[in-house]
Amino acid sequence: MTDLHRLTIKELSNGLKQGDFSSRELTQHYLNRIAKIDPQVNSYVTVTPELALVQADAADVALHAGNAHPLTGIPLAHKDIFCTQGIRTSAGSKMLDNFISPYDATVVTKIKQANMVTLGKVNMDEFAMGSTTESSFYGATKNPWNLNHVPGGSSGGSSAVIAADLAPLATGTDTGGSIRQPASFCGLTGLKPTYGRVSRFGMIAFASSLDQAGPMGRSAEDCAYLMNVLAGHDDNDSTSAQHPVDDYISNLNQTSIQGLRIGIPKQYFNVDGLHIDVKNRVEDALKQLESMGAILVEVDLNMVESYVPTYYLIAPAEASSNLSRYDGVRFGYRCENPQDLNDLYKRSRSEGFGEEVKRRILIGTYALSAGYYDAYYVKAQKVRRLIQEDFLNAFTQVDVIAAPSAPTTAYKIGAALDPVEMYLGDLYTLAANLSGHPAINAPVGFDQHGLPVGLQLIGNYWSESQLLSVVHQYQQTTDWHSQRAEIAKENV
Ligand code: GLN
């Protein structure tokens, strides 16, 4: 079969169960596509063909025995931020170019337990700091819709593999938008769950109070399959929640669009820099939801101007602390011929980290330093609380809040935005991380150059089922999520 990569996760699951094709055939099909197409996209940092085929054979045994999980035998790619035992975990950094983890992240363990097949590890901005994948030690990943553009970031490898049909599903992480924005730039569905819904154990830390893992796929239905595996409490992560887990697949039709109250924050749609094509496509999608019975309600989210400054204090502060462990002693890059201990620390870190990571460490260390802690870090934490209260107040009036996922479509590679311009592009995604709310991106059309546009829906705590369900129903009446980039149409 030459078109296995066109099937949805549900179709793959049924096809495997019915024996229409084996997991080995499916896995080999993706490996062939990766070998042929990925040199143009640069989405994989590490491909693991031997391991993938071993896992595929084990999946085929489970499928024959009739004790398969719905995802058994289905391939996926991991963002290279999840520790994988025996396979390099680089976090897109020279610092970890030689790092092989002695254990699996909980997300990886759960995926193994479902007998999924891991095709490899995919590219990302260094330590997940960025919005383009250009800060990766392994070079930029290309957007499958137009190879001169970025796929978004930091989970840009995850979005590119799916958009080029080089994996049907991928894991991502989102500290300030890194699932939703790349999903938006590549025309995919991506869910950032409520903080604490998915375990962070074994996920290389960027900013621990903001980091959250989640699924990326073509549709809400595809994401629901993966979410069923990812969600749940983990004794190894004290911030993971005890809250009961939903069955995200059977809940796909649970929420009625009829009467659903969608909040439209007026401040979000009057932002300078919101591209007109993005605004129009998002408004079209909202009209579509309205025609399906949703009620659009204007809400106030007054703190919008504080999102970028608050996030860009808290995230670097936590990063400067988290990244202090890379000292050239215990693991990771070590400089050659250190003169003494100080020289070892200094040169290992200077040579091992890239420019953006160093910038964040500098900002964060400054904000946490004795003389500035109260003025910057403590102040930012207070503003963070106000942002959360703004959302809690809005959720007394509406069920979900709608926004663009990003003010623009995908940038050109090397557009050389200065750091602050780049940070401003995160405007719409940061608040859900600061407040801990779940949020999803759904593809809603294209700009005048054929680059995808995304709608973001933010929900109240633990409303992942509702978000997936709303997007699923929208996707029953539209086909943006199933459109393919030219490069994905190459038959291999
Ligand atoms: N673009 C944001 C940043 O650079 C968010 C990154 C993320 O979510 N990992 O920090």
Side-chain angles (χ1 to χ4, degrees):
M1 265 197 240
T2 54
D3 57 355
L4 289 174
H5 56 279
R6 292 229 150 222
L7 302 183
T8 65
I9 298 301
K10 187 179 185 176
E11 289 165 344
L12 288 174
S13 181
N14 290 338
L16 285 165
K17 279 210 183 104
Q18 290 157 15
D20 299 345
F21 45 86
S22 65
S23 175
R24 175 171 266 267
E25 284 171 297
L26 178 62
T27 301
Q28 191 60 59
H29 178 73
Y30 273 105
L31 291 171
N32 294 347
R33 288 185 64 80
I34 293 167
K36 173 92 183 292
I37 296 171
D38 199 45
Q40 299 170 70
V41 184
N42 191 34
S43 54
Y44 280 88
V45 173
T46 307
V47 186
T48 50
E50 294 85 11
L51 178 71
L53 291 171
V54 169
Q55 290 179 335
D57 288 342
D60 283 329
V61 170
L63 284 157
H64 278 128
N67 56 2
H69 180 278
L71 285 175
T72 295
I74 295 181
L76 110 167
H78 278 300
K79 184 175 182 179
D80 207 10
I81 199 167
F82 292 99
C83 284
T84 41
Q85 187 177 13
I87 302 165
R88 172 174 63 176
T89 300
S90 74
S93 182
K94 180 178 175 184
M95 184 59 88
L96 292 178
D97 183 46
N98 63 1
F99 175 61
I100 295 181
S101 168
Y103 60 86
D104 280 330
T106 298
V107 159
V108 172
T109 304
K110 288 184 163 209
I111 280 168
K112 277 189 180 169
Q113 283 165 351
N115 267 316
M116 293 189 78
V117 172
T118 302
L119 295 168
K121 309 288 294 286
V122 292
N123 206 11
M124 53 182 282
D125 282 294
E126 187 178 7
F127 286 102
M129 298 174 193
S131 310
T132 64
T133 72
E134 292 170 293
S135 74
S136 169
F137 177 58
Y138 304 95
T141 296
K142 317 281 168 53
N143 189 317
W145 289 94
N146 181 330
L147 297 175
N148 296 319
H149 289 251
V150 302
S154 65
S155 312
S158 306
S159 59
V161 280
I162 302 169
D165 282 333
L166 303 178
L169 281 174
T171 53
T173 64
D174 190 311
T175 303
S178 283
I179 287 176
R180 291 159 284 159
Q181 183 259 26
S184 171
F185 281 14
C186 287
L188 306 173
T189 306
L191 172 71
K192 181 203 88 78
T194 307
Y195 182 79
R197 180 68 302 173
V198 176
S199 169
R200 291 186 297 107
F201 177 75
M203 196 174 109
I204 292 182
F206 164 10
S208 308
S209 78
L210 303 160
D211 296 343
Q212 186 59 199
M216 298 173 73
R218 287 203 173 269
S219 64
E221 184 184 76
D222 289 1
C223 287
Y225 274 86
L226 189 51
M227 195 55 193
N228 265 11
V229 175
L230 300 179
H233 176 71
D234 177 13
D235 284 338
N236 285 327
D237 173 5
S238 59
T239 63
S240 84
Q242 302 276 0
H243 196 83
V245 173
D246 292 338
D247 180 342
Y248 302 98
I249 302 172
S250 53
N251 285 352
L252 278 170
N253 291 306
Q254 168 210 49
T255 304
S256 173
I257 305 285
Q258 191 64 48
L260 182 83
R261 293 172 70 82
I262 302 182
I264 314 292
K266 56 176 181 288
Q267 292 85 349
Y268 281 29
F269 288 84
N270 295 326
V271 161
D272 285 346
L274 172 57
H275 194 281
I276 185 71
D277 288 354
V278 174
K279 187 166 190 246
N280 288 339
R281 291 296 84 74
V282 166
E283 285 176 353
D284 292 346
L286 292 171
K287 279 188 205 126
Q288 170 73 12
L289 285 162
E290 198 174 25
S291 76
M292 294 164 69
I295 303 159
L296 306 185
V297 184
E298 204 170 88
V299 290
D300 266 317
L301 288 174
N302 288 311
M303 299 297 294
V304 60
E305 282 172 11
S306 307
Y307 299 166
V308 173
T310 305
Y311 172 87
Y312 278 99
L313 264 163
I314 291 175
E318 294 187 21
S320 83
S321 163
N322 274 324
L323 271 61
S324 64
R325 72 190 63 169
Y326 306 106
D327 57 4
V329 177
R330 284 166 293 182
F331 49 80
Y333 178 80
R334 177 180 296 173
C335 68
E336 305 247 333
N337 305 319
Q339 306 295 302
D340 53 32
L341 187 62
N342 250 336
D343 187 45
L344 168 78
Y345 289 156
K346 203 163 148 184
R347 280 203 292 119
S348 298
R349 287 169 70 80
S350 302
E351 293 165 18
F353 289 137
E355 199 183 330
E356 183 60 27
V357 170
K358 286 180 195 164
R359 182 178 296 120
R360 308 268 179 127
I361 293 174
L362 287 172
I363 298 170
T365 308
Y366 183 82
L368 291 176
S369 60
Y372 297 102
Y373 185 83
D374 287 332
Y376 291 115
Y377 184 70
V378 173
K379 180 86 169 274
Q381 291 290 19
K382 289 180 179 166
V383 180
R384 180 178 190 176
R385 167 59 69 95
L386 296 177
I387 293 169
Q388 182 193 30
E389 282 172 2
D390 224 12
F391 274 84
L392 291 176
N393 183 38
F395 283 123
T396 62
Q397 302 154 52
V398 294
D399 301 306
V400 296
I401 292 170
S405 286
T408 65
T409 52
Y411 319 113
K412 272 216 159 96
I413 290 180
L417 299 182
D418 74 49
V420 176
E421 264 181 276
M422 188 70 81
Y423 300 166
L424 288 169
D426 297 333
L427 171 78
Y428 293 117
T429 46
L430 301 175
N433 300 82
L434 289 165
S435 66
H437 285 100
I440 194 166
N441 176 75
V444 294
F446 298 90
D447 72 3
Q448 56 181 329
H449 305 295
L451 289 165
V453 173
L455 163 74
Q456 180 183 200
L457 295 175
I458 306 168
N460 212 339
Y461 296 119
W462 318 113
S463 69
E464 289 79 6
S465 275
Q466 183 187 42
L467 293 175
L468 289 164
S469 171
V470 171
V471 172
H472 177 65
Q473 290 174 67
Y474 171 79
Q475 291 176 339
Q476 300 306 293
T477 64
T478 54
D479 72 345
W480 305 117
H481 61 288
S482 46
Q483 300 205 15
R484 292 315 204 253
E486 278 311 311
I487 199 169
K489 294 182 190 156
E490 275 185 42
N491 270 330
V492 177

